[in-house]
Amino acid sequence: MKAWITFLRGFVLKVYYPFLMFLGAFLKSKKTYFQAYIIQLNNSLVMKSNYHINKILLLLPHCIQNSKCDVRLTFDVFKCKRCGMCKIKDLIELAEKSKIAISIATGGTIARKVVKEEKPDAIIAVACERDLSSGIVDTYPLPVLGILNERPHGPCIDTTVNLEKVKDAVQWFMKNSQQGKNQ
Ligand code: SF4
């Protein structure tokens, strides 16, 4: 079952996704919809299997930090002063409580670097449709649950995320990693 799910994810991410992006180059208004569809499809496939997980990484986009905050978090999210002006405070607390790793990435290159350094067994990633779909493709075959950010002020500035969705993803991996260890 697990091998089939990995194969299916590979097909979706390495064949179907590029095909949809090719279509999206002509149907520009549909591109974001296609990316969101791939994220959803990936998540449902990831959730059809169990995993051997020792380390979960919560990967966040830089735009979730309050734009007025002058603390530099790129290389150490724990420098956050936890003032509560953005969701970083709650996300750090969630990561500490759940004993999972947490990082902020300013773009795809940094995100790849973080994944290479942290060597997680599973990732919970928050980002926009474009960054999330391409990040999930880049990190395959690692299991990634993607959560779309919310953009009340438009793209790339003062974005936020539904904390409950992040909590659910953390709990899902924790529950299924225990089962995975018994396989
Ligand atoms: S919670 Fe942290 S990252 Fe957000 S504004 Fe306050 S100090 Fe900056």
Side-chain angles (χ1 to χ4, degrees):
M1 171 86 163
K2 190 172 176 175
W4 267 106
I5 297 296
T6 306
F7 173 80
L8 262 178
R9 278 187 71 224
F11 180 81
V12 166
L13 300 176
K14 301 291 182 180
V15 179
Y16 194 36
Y17 173 75
F19 169 72
L20 288 182
M21 290 307 95
F22 175 74
L23 273 187
F26 299 98
L27 302 165
K28 288 201 191 309
S29 62
K30 295 271 183 232
K31 198 166 180 179
T32 306
Y33 168 80
F34 289 153
Q35 289 161 339
Y37 172 66
I38 289 292
I39 295 161
Q40 201 182 23
L41 198 54
N42 166 77
N43 286 0
S44 58
L45 285 172
V46 166
M47 293 175 93
K48 283 194 191 318
S49 194
N50 292 322
Y51 302 92
H52 296 259
I53 298 171
N54 291 312
K55 185 171 185 179
I56 301 170
L57 170 65
L58 175 57
L59 194 53
L60 305 169
H62 183 248
C63 56
I64 208 161
Q65 180 179 13
N66 188 292
S67 56
K68 293 187 180 74
C69 175
D70 55 9
V71 184
R72 191 170 155 83
L73 301 178
T74 313
F75 297 105
D76 186 5
V77 70
F78 292 98
K79 283 188 179 156
C80 164
K81 292 175 185 156
R82 308 193 190 197
C83 72
M85 268 169 56
C86 72
K87 285 272 169 74
I88 300 282
K89 171 187 176 282
D90 299 317
L91 292 161
I92 291 176
E93 286 172 1
L94 173 63
E96 284 175 337
K97 198 172 152 206
S98 315
K99 297 186 172 52
I100 65 170
I102 178 169
S103 259
I104 286 190
T106 44
T109 309
I110 300 282
R112 275 186 289 277
K113 190 170 175 280
V114 168
V115 172
K116 210 172 159 188
E117 285 170 4
E118 293 281 345
K119 295 186 177 52
D121 304 301
I123 300 173
I124 296 158
V126 177
C128 62
E129 288 86 347
R130 188 197 61 186
D131 288 359
L132 203 45
S133 57
S134 64
I136 290 170
V137 171
D138 284 351
T139 48
Y140 171 83
L142 268 182
V144 182
L145 286 177
I147 300 168
L148 284 174
N149 61 8
E150 293 169 8
R151 300 170 295 248
H153 306 283
C156 306
I157 187 157
D158 293 333
T159 63
T160 184
V161 66
N162 183 326
L163 211 57
E164 289 307 310
K165 287 186 184 176
V166 182
K167 280 183 193 165
D168 287 349
V170 173
Q171 276 169 11
W172 190 89
F173 270 135
M174 288 189 156
K175 190 165 156 253
N176 288 278
S177 74
Q178 279 160 7
Q179 288 170 14
K181 279 173 192 162
N182 297 331
Q183 277 186 338

